[in-house]
Structure formats: structure tokens, C-alpha cells
Amino acid sequence: MVKEITPNDLKTKLENGETLDIIDVREEEEVEEGMIPQAKHIPMGEIPDRIEEFDKEKEYIFVCRSGRRSENVCLYLQDIGFNVINMVGGMLEWTGETKPKSEIKK
């Protein structure tokens, strides 16, 4: 069982100024249509090769289009000891601010 957060609860946390580690696992063309500005983009297929970028002491919130891919990423990472949360409903249900990846400064 993977912990879950709703898009509205995530939006509220961001509006309250919480610092969260949000990972968007959609493909490049999807994030260009808009992603949560505070999110980091790591496509689902790159997660196993970029595992060293994650810290087992931190909590990560994963996002995709509908919540399915992010749930699979959460199951994978949870099985190897990471603290993860899936945003149910994905970007289809997100009502907060979005920006194309190209406009997000890292």
C-alpha cells in the first residue's frame, strides 16, 4: 500500500509555503504542457538509473498524468526503502499553478 495525497491537499501545502520534494515522472512532451513549478522532472524510465539522486531520509511526492505511473514508481521505490507518496488523480485533477518545464528555473 502506497501513501497518497490528493491534488488539493498538495496545493494547500504549497500555498502554505511547505518545502516539498515533488517529482514529475511524465515524459518530456507532457511536462512541456505544464508541470507544478516546484516539481523536479525525472521521466519514469530514468528513475532506476538516477536512484542516487534520492535520499532515504527524505519524503518524495510523485506525480504523473493520472496517478498510475507515479503509483508504480512509488511501489518500486518503497520496496527498496524510500519514503514516497503518490498524488492520486495526477495532473488531470491538478487545479494549481502550472508552467512549461522550459520556464521553470532550477
Side-chain angles (χ1 to χ4, degrees):
M1 198 66 193
V2 173
K3 286 191 279 184
E4 296 178 339
I5 189 168
T6 66
N8 277 342
D9 287 344
L10 179 56
K11 181 181 169 190
T12 299
K13 286 177 176 285
L14 292 172
E15 288 170 348
N16 290 337
E18 290 188 42
T19 301
L20 304 168
D21 288 302
I22 304 167
I23 311 295
D24 192 320
V25 298
R26 295 176 297 155
E27 297 301 317
E28 193 72 39
E29 60 276 4
E30 292 175 289
V31 294
E32 275 309 321
E33 293 173 10
M35 64 185 276
I36 300 168
Q38 297 86 341
K40 178 178 182 178
H41 179 226
I42 304 177
M44 179 180 177
E46 293 180 17
I47 297 286
D49 294 333
R50 296 176 65 177
I51 205 79
E52 74 282 348
E53 294 179 35
F54 297 98
D55 180 345
K56 289 188 178 179
E57 302 300 314
K58 290 185 176 182
E59 180 175 76
Y60 297 93
I61 299 171
F62 287 87
V63 176
C64 70
R65 182 179 155 276
S66 69
R68 285 279 181 237
R69 284 176 282 177
S70 54
E71 181 181 36
N72 287 333
V73 170
C74 284
L75 288 167
Y76 168 74
L77 290 172
Q78 185 174 274
D79 282 350
I80 56 176
F82 288 94
N83 188 7
V84 296
I85 300 174
N86 183 39
M87 186 176 88
V88 294
M91 292 302 287
L92 290 173
E93 294 185 18
W94 177 253
T95 59
E97 182 184 5
T98 62
K99 288 187 178 174
K101 182 184 175 192
S102 58
E103 290 181 17
I104 297 174
K105 305 289 184 258
K106 288 291 174 194

